[in-house]
Amino acid sequence: MYVDKSLSGEVYVCRGTRLIASCALCNNKKITAVHIPSTVEYIGEGLIFGSTNVSQIVVEEGNERYSSGANSNMLVNTEDMKLIALCEDVEMPNDIKIIGKGVFAEHSLKS
């Protein structure tokens, strides 16, 4: 997936996309939401790293590998329950088994 770094607002990954590269949407403070189609089979590390204004991650229903959580505020690989990305102020579910590289790098943790 080629990404235009001038993207802003809500980003809709094209239907039919199967792979999203590592850091595809990183370091873009103009992005506010990411919509991922059911066709995506692989998402690399750091998808939204540094894109601190993303408040919503939506994975289309029917995606067999990824979920965006009950409140569309995180990205989880459901095959191994790996947390890949999250928005601010998220309560992490108990069933997460792996936390991906850099997921908490720009978040303030609260207990």
Side-chain angles (χ1 to χ4, degrees), residues 15-90:
R15 180 171 298 288
T17 300
R18 294 180 53 211
L19 180 143
I20 301 174
S22 296
C23 203
L25 301 172
C26 67
N27 298 315
N28 185 332
K29 299 201 183 329
K30 296 182 286 183
I31 295 173
T32 59
V34 178
H35 297 264
I36 299 168
S38 62
T39 56
V40 171
E41 299 172 359
Y42 175 82
I43 300 172
E45 300 273 347
L47 175 68
I48 59 167
F49 179 80
S51 298
T52 54
N53 290 320
V54 174
S55 61
Q56 186 179 43
I57 302 170
V58 180
V59 177
E60 183 180 42
E61 193 173 316
N63 188 302
E64 296 179 9
R65 290 203 172 106
Y66 296 97
S67 168
S68 52
N71 297 316
S72 296
N73 56 11
M74 67 182 68
L75 180 61
V76 177
N77 180 324
T78 56
E79 290 183 333
D80 56 6
M81 293 311 294
K82 180 178 183 178
L83 181 63
I84 296 171
L86 74 159
C87 304
E88 283 290 333
D89 297 326
V90 172

Side-chain angles (χ1 to χ4, degrees), residues 1-23:
M1 176 178 138
Y2 168 78
V3 178
D4 179 352
K5 291 295 184 183
S6 68
L7 291 172
S8 62
E10 295 193 33
V11 173
Y12 289 81
V13 176
C14 294
R15 180 171 298 288
T17 300
R18 294 180 53 211
L19 180 143
I20 301 174
S22 296
C23 203

